[in-house]
Amino acid sequence: MATWNLDNTKHHILICNGSSCNQNGAEELTQSIRKEICERDLDGVIHTTRTRCNGRCLDKCVAIHYPKGTWYKDLKPEDTVTFIKSVLEGNDYKEKVSHTFTDEGFVRNSNVPKGVSKDKEKVKKASKIL
């Protein structure tokens, strides 16, 4: 276990490792992103967190870049160099963006499935609330 010093951290990448993403290469993507960050000596600038399901299973593999708030879809290990470059430059890796954050909230790209609306029963089932 570690408690990282985040004083110089400028970017936080959340990498989905839920079941749908894991079945589609999330572990390989996670390792590829972390390796690229390490090889470029960016560990103090970019922090990564492996998450469980982020609720966008159709978009597998999913990563989220904060503080920008951009959600990415269909990421593969071969996208890593372009993805990390876009993070550092403050640009979106446009071909892989599913949602961008604005003052109005998250805006879905037109080529991305909308998904189902949340209602109490669906949330309880998906969240496995007893």
Side-chain angles (χ1 to χ4, degrees):
M1 300 293 282
T3 301
W4 300 116
N5 177 346
L6 301 176
D7 287 353
N8 295 314
T9 302
K10 300 201 180 333
H11 308 278
H12 187 189
I13 300 172
L14 306 167
I15 308 163
C16 182
N17 275 239
S19 61
S20 292
C21 287
N22 262 335
Q23 291 171 9
N24 287 275
E27 178 61 27
E28 294 82 358
L29 176 64
T30 301
Q31 293 303 319
S32 180
I33 289 172
R34 288 178 170 174
K35 182 178 180 198
E36 180 70 13
I37 290 168
C38 184
E39 287 177 354
R40 294 179 67 169
D41 198 26
L42 295 169
D43 288 302
V45 177
I46 302 175
H47 181 71
T48 62
T49 301
R50 179 193 317 255
T51 71
R52 296 222 184 235
C53 181
N54 286 287
R56 290 292 307 173
C57 298
L58 288 176
D59 296 341
K60 59 198 171 279
C61 292
V62 172
I64 308 161
H65 172 213
Y66 281 99
K68 197 166 184 184
T70 305
W71 286 56
Y72 293 90
K73 65 178 178 63
D74 192 33
L75 285 173
K76 309 218 176 318
E78 54 267 25
D79 296 316
T80 297
V81 172
T82 304
F83 175 62
I84 295 300
K85 183 176 187 253
S86 73
V87 165
L88 291 171
E89 292 175 352
N91 301 317
D92 291 332
Y93 181 8
K94 294 191 186 306
E95 297 83 2
K96 300 290 181 162
V97 171
S98 68
H99 293 75
T100 52
F101 187 73
T102 71
D103 291 337
E104 303 298 316
F106 289 100
V107 177
R108 176 180 49 90
N109 276 359
S110 60
N111 64 337
V112 174
K114 185 174 185 178
V116 297
S117 296
K118 290 183 176 183
D119 67 42
K120 194 171 195 115
E121 289 306 310
K122 287 177 187 164
V123 169
K124 280 177 67 174
K125 184 177 179 184
S127 301
K128 299 179 182 162
I129 296 173
L130 303 176

